[in-house]
Amino acid sequence: MKSAHDLVSDAKTRIEEVDLHAADAAIRTADVLIDVREADEYQAGHIPGAVNIPRGLLEFKLSNDPTLTRRDLNLVLYCKNSGRSALAACALQDMGYSHVLSIAGGYEAWHASGKPVQTAQLPAFD
């Protein structure tokens, strides 16, 4: 029986990960930067320009949103530390997406390196 760690390890052999140095360029050329974490994680802090499509909804969202169905889109994915994004990248490749990258180390590595982050802005209720 495989564990989650086994599945992530296997996925990482089948996908392309970019390190933090290459991530900036990958994001600049991406059609879509996707944060596959849950909504509360995204709201607590995310990479500027990222859209939030949680891992559990990813295949459905991309299949049903006409702006995301082109299989030649340049997609860059990330999660907390790159496990979920590796699994997500595998799933998207299985769906026929040909340009999928995952950011090694995920949001944790991005944030720890001092790169810019964005948080949700709540309205003032004065």
Side-chain angles (χ1 to χ4, degrees):
M1 178 186 296
K2 289 186 177 185
S3 68
H5 177 74
D6 295 332
L7 293 172
V8 169
S9 293
D10 179 54
K12 287 188 175 199
T13 68
R14 299 174 32 210
I15 65 159
E16 186 174 350
E17 280 192 305
V18 293
D19 64 20
L20 288 179
H21 299 290
D24 290 317
I27 290 168
R28 278 193 302 276
T29 61
D31 292 310
V32 186
L33 172 62
I34 303 173
D35 183 328
V36 300
R37 299 176 300 155
E38 296 300 315
D40 60 327
E41 294 174 288
Y42 176 83
Q43 294 210 359
H46 57 273
I47 298 173
V51 296
N52 182 226
I53 306 175
R55 170 73 192 100
L57 301 174
L58 187 65
E59 296 89 344
F60 300 103
K61 178 71 172 170
L62 270 69
S63 292
N64 294 312
D65 185 332
T67 64
L68 300 173
T69 57
R70 276 192 16 246
R71 297 311 200 249
D72 64 343
L73 288 171
N74 289 318
L75 304 174
V76 176
L77 312 176
Y78 72 91
C79 63
K80 180 178 179 183
N81 57 23
S82 74
R84 285 176 282 179
S85 60
L87 295 172
C90 269
L92 295 181
Q93 287 175 344
D94 289 346
M95 291 176 69
Y97 288 90
S98 56
H99 305 288
V100 183
L101 299 174
S102 176
I103 299 176
Y107 181 79
E108 283 185 343
W110 180 274
H111 187 263
S113 73
K115 291 188 176 283
V117 298
Q118 187 173 359
T119 57
Q121 300 297 319
L122 298 175
F125 294 105
D126 296 338

